Amino acid sequence: MSEFLLHILCIAGIYAMVALALNLQAGYAGLLNFGHIAFVGIGAYAIGLGSQFSLPLYLVIPAGIALAMLVAAAMALLGRQLAADYWGIATLALAEIVRICIVNEDQLTGGSQGIGGISTPWATGSEQQDVLLFSALILLCLTLCTLISLRFGNSRFGRALRLMREQPQLAMCMGYSLLWLKCRALMCSAVMCAIAGMLLAWYTNYVSPDYLLSSETFLIWSMVMIGGIGNVRGVLLGVLVVEGLYNFIPFARDLLHMSSDLTGALRLGLVGLVMLVGLLLRPGGLLPEKLRILP
């Protein structure tokens, strides 16, 4: 039972990093990025390809992060002349283009079969000890991402992002470049997501195009919206709620003798129901963003 709880906490920690990264865009800057999961996939495939070709980590990790930042910059430039809703659709299309390219590149990425046999560089041979080491690493990365998110929220950069979110014309009048603000927010988010994707590839010892499905992006969006968009503590709470629902369903399947197909549909349906009820009763989330009053 303790190993199962540790597994849930590890997966929740990785998803929390991705949710915090989305909050940098959606919560602080008000950006509707529906291709957010592409950054996670890029980080995961960087580790997968590095493992497949036996490349050193000091090359693989910076290359994966740099590629994720490059895609983030491309997303920002893509939205230069687009309204927020159209830009959100464009980011979804860009993420799908990345996934389709990975699926069709059989020789390099393994196609739809993905890349398996990914070993962690700190493997000791003891499964229990490896899990404990990995849990500590995920906790460390999550703590750093949380501190960075809090720091951004209280910094001049975070205030500029909120000003762009609420009054973009006023932000321009004050001398801020909206394109540069969007680009910085997306690139910072891409770094966190790429690292989360690398941790996910190491944890599962496998990477596949399923990591880039659009449903994963909307799962992250549900975590942020249920917890409280714009509030770091709310985002972390939303991750715990959604992960709790996701891991409760298998127990219900055993009790009610449901099929596996019904279990998968029930997972998505239950998360969607909770999000709809939350939007009706608490539109700002369980822990909504607090208004900032200047002295």
Side-chain angles (χ1 to χ4, degrees), residues 3-289:
E3 293 181 359
F4 177 70
L5 291 176
L6 197 59
H7 167 72
I8 294 175
L9 291 176
C10 287
I11 295 297
I14 293 173
Y15 271 100
M17 293 174 61
V18 183
L20 288 172
L22 179 60
N23 189 56
L24 286 179
Q25 305 170 52
Y28 293 165
L31 300 176
L32 299 178
N33 186 357
F34 297 142
H36 184 66
I37 201 65
F39 305 142
V40 180
I42 290 171
Y45 266 95
I47 294 300
L49 292 173
S51 175
Q52 187 177 18
F53 295 104
S54 302
L55 298 175
L57 287 180
Y58 64 81
L59 292 178
V60 171
I61 294 177
I65 293 174
L67 182 57
M69 293 175 69
L70 184 63
V71 173
M75 282 186 177
L77 293 173
L78 188 66
R80 183 172 48 185
Q81 301 294 334
L82 294 176
D85 48 355
Y86 289 106
W87 182 75
I89 296 172
T91 58
L92 177 61
L94 183 59
E96 280 297 299
I97 290 172
V98 173
R99 188 183 69 85
I100 291 171
C101 289
I102 289 174
V103 170
N104 288 279
E105 190 57 53
D106 295 335
Q107 296 181 351
L108 187 61
T109 64
S112 58
Q113 299 300 319
I115 301 173
I118 301 173
S119 59
T120 55
W122 55 84
T124 62
S126 172
E127 184 177 352
Q128 185 176 6
Q129 189 173 356
D130 289 345
V131 171
L132 291 175
L133 286 173
F134 210 106
S135 303
L137 178 61
I138 291 176
L139 180 60
L140 176 62
C141 292
L142 177 58
T143 302
L144 290 175
C145 289
T146 302
L147 293 176
I148 290 171
S149 297
L150 291 171
R151 177 66 177 172
F152 276 0
N154 296 322
S155 66
R156 181 180 177 183
F157 176 56
R159 292 192 293 270
L161 291 178
R162 287 189 174 90
L163 179 62
M164 180 182 68
R165 180 189 68 187
E166 300 296 337
Q167 296 290 338
Q169 297 298 327
L170 179 58
M172 292 177 62
C173 291
M174 294 182 67
Y176 289 109
S177 170
L178 301 189
L179 178 61
W180 179 232
L181 285 176
K182 292 177 182 178
C183 187
R184 288 174 63 187
L186 283 166
M187 292 174 73
C188 292
S189 179
V191 172
M192 294 170 61
C193 284
I195 294 174
M198 294 174 184
L199 291 174
L200 183 62
W202 275 322
Y203 186 72
T204 60
N205 303 122
Y206 175 71
V207 58
S208 79
D210 291 344
Y211 289 7
L212 286 90
L213 290 174
S214 57
S215 59
E216 291 294 314
T217 292
F218 293 107
L219 177 65
I220 301 300
W221 268 97
S222 66
M223 292 174 177
V224 174
M225 295 178 68
I226 290 172
I229 190 167
N231 189 332
V232 172
R233 296 172 183 83
V235 171
L236 296 177
L237 178 60
V239 172
L240 291 177
V241 170
V242 173
E243 279 298 312
L245 291 174
Y246 248 57
N247 290 281
F248 166 75
I249 296 300
F251 291 102
R253 178 191 64 185
D254 296 335
L255 291 174
L256 302 177
H257 304 289
M258 296 184 297
S259 65
S260 299
D261 294 337
L262 182 60
T263 302
L266 188 60
R267 272 180 164 178
L268 293 177
L270 188 58
V271 171
L273 178 63
V274 171
M275 186 171 67
L276 288 175
V277 172
L279 289 174
L280 289 173
L281 300 180
R282 293 184 67 88
L286 296 175
L287 295 176
E289 182 182 13

